[in-house]
Amino acid sequence: MNYSGKLYVVKVGGNVVRAEKDILRVCRGINKLLQKDARVILVHGGGPLISEEMKKRGLEPVMIAGVRYTDKKALAVAEEVLREINSRIVNGFNSMENKAASVSAVTVPGYECTLCVKKQALKFYREGKAVEADPGLVGEVSDTDSAYLLNLIGKGLVPVIYPIGKDPSGVRLNVNADTMASGIAVGTRCSEMLAVTDVPGILADVSDPGSVIKSVTTEEAMELIRNGTVSGGMIPKVESCIRAVEAGVPAVRMISGKDMGYLKTLSSNGTLITR
Ligand SMILES: Nc1ncnc2c1ncn2[C@@H]1O[C@H](COP(=O)(O)OP(=O)(O)OP(=O)(O)O)[C@@H](O)[C@H]1O
Ligand SMILES: [Mg+2]
């Protein structure tokens, strides 16, 4: 196999890798991409399942501007749930009948391939006013070990990364999966980042799935956060897309998990974010 093809960092949201059939759909989609002579790094989230598990254990999930407020207990639940999802994805890949690309997957915790720093304060807008809040043990990527990841790819493996990072002194940090993916996208100088989520792209009206905004510049995307068009989990997602593009990733595309066929056709579905 030729590993010189385009490098994609694909981020899949927690809702996209929940049911077993959805995981297999993701694996099949990525297999299609690999057959196009592409190289792939997969990063996954786990938002809904982490929240459910926290509630089961009597903990209250708190989201600040789409980012999970994380104390030690929430961090422990997040890592446990993410590891579980991760091994289901890796198993999904390794059980695929279609191994035409003879690629199998391998678990990579975020802290093995990145260095993170604690996010100091989240700045967001409430009723048009800028406010700040401390998200706790939440990190963002400061460095990526791209040689480590590219070496795994060179061995015919798909790195499947779950977004728990650590800071230089070894403190574990919960990292929003989009933030982890965009840090890795920048660090590996990938050709394109794909954000696969539970909506068909950035919607002009969040209650209307038909209102997909086909393409935005980083400046336009920033305005969508500022004016409240984008809210909840879409805030860190759009911020990550902006950061990736501004740091040199040529394009980020946001698509729906129901549209994994996209990986075969690479058509112009979803929302494209460019400079
Ligand atoms: N303008 C918007 N367009 C589309 N989605 C929006 C918008 N504003 C808010 N959202 C919300 O953002 C959500 C997607 O972000 P969310 O964090 O929930 O998922 P994810 O990032 O794919 O998964 P995970 O957080 O598990 O990695 C959508 O389900 C939608 O409810
Ligand atoms: Mg999210």
Side-chain angles (χ1 to χ4, degrees), residues 3-274:
Y3 293 108
S4 61
K6 277 189 165 186
L7 177 64
Y8 289 88
V9 171
V10 181
K11 186 266 168 169
V12 287
N15 270 318
V16 180
V17 285
R18 227 193 132 117
E20 214 53 41
K21 66 173 190 342
D22 298 330
I23 289 181
L24 290 174
R25 190 194 294 152
V26 167
C27 296
R28 271 194 297 273
I30 287 179
N31 241 321
K32 291 278 183 322
L33 196 54
L34 293 166
Q35 284 164 34
K36 284 177 163 306
D37 191 26
R39 299 170 295 158
V40 174
I41 294 170
L42 187 63
V43 181
H44 67 86
L49 280 173
I50 295 169
S51 293
E52 279 167 30
E53 191 56 32
M54 284 181 70
K55 285 183 199 152
K56 266 190 217 159
R57 299 186 194 184
L59 304 170
E60 194 200 339
V62 177
M63 305 300 284
I64 310 171
V67 171
R68 184 180 308 280
Y69 171 76
T70 309
D71 57 13
K72 279 189 175 159
K73 285 184 178 163
L75 180 69
V77 176
E79 181 152 14
E80 200 179 304
V81 171
L82 288 166
R83 286 172 74 130
E84 161 87 28
I85 297 171
N86 189 283
S87 65
R88 286 170 56 211
I89 298 173
V90 169
N91 289 343
F93 261 112
N94 295 345
S95 74
M96 302 264 28
E97 295 156 27
N98 180 6
K99 282 209 182 157
S102 56
V103 163
S104 31
V106 65
T107 291
V108 182
Y111 47 78
E112 270 180 15
C113 61
T114 63
L115 200 58
C116 293
V117 285
K118 180 181 156 23
K119 246 182 185 298
Q120 286 310 327
L122 285 173
K123 295 193 177 95
F124 57 100
Y125 298 88
R126 188 182 284 149
E127 286 155 13
K129 274 196 192 149
V131 265
E132 288 190 9
D134 179 8
L137 295 168
V138 171
E140 55 195 356
V141 178
S142 59
D143 199 14
T144 300
D145 190 347
S146 68
Y148 171 73
L149 290 169
L150 295 176
N151 183 44
L152 290 175
I153 293 172
K155 288 182 176 157
L157 296 166
V158 176
V160 183
I161 300 168
Y162 66 85
I164 299 289
K166 67 169 190 242
D167 76 2
S169 56
V171 174
R172 295 269 169 105
L173 296 165
N174 185 20
V175 182
N176 174 276
D178 290 284
T179 308
M180 178 63 85
S182 81
I184 291 170
V186 172
T188 55
R189 297 167 173 267
C190 75
S191 321
E192 188 169 326
M193 173 171 139
L194 291 172
V196 187
T197 181
D198 61 345
V199 284
I202 303 178
L203 303 171
D205 171 1
V206 71
S207 62
D208 175 10
S211 66
V212 178
I213 302 175
K214 297 294 280 178
S215 71
V216 281
T217 62
T218 51
E219 218 163 284
E220 288 163 348
M222 189 62 88
E223 180 53 27
L224 293 175
I225 297 176
R226 239 181 260 130
N227 70 21
T229 302
V230 152
S231 61
M234 197 46 79
I235 298 174
K237 191 185 299 298
V238 171
E239 281 175 349
S240 306
C241 296
I242 293 171
R243 216 167 300 139
V245 168
E246 295 205 324
V249 174
V252 179
R253 188 175 286 282
M254 207 181 287
I255 59 164
S256 160
K258 297 196 181 96
D259 189 22
M260 292 307 285
Y262 167 81
L263 298 174
K264 192 173 170 189
T265 58
L266 296 178
S267 54
S268 57
N269 299 358
T271 301
L272 181 70
I273 299 133
T274 52

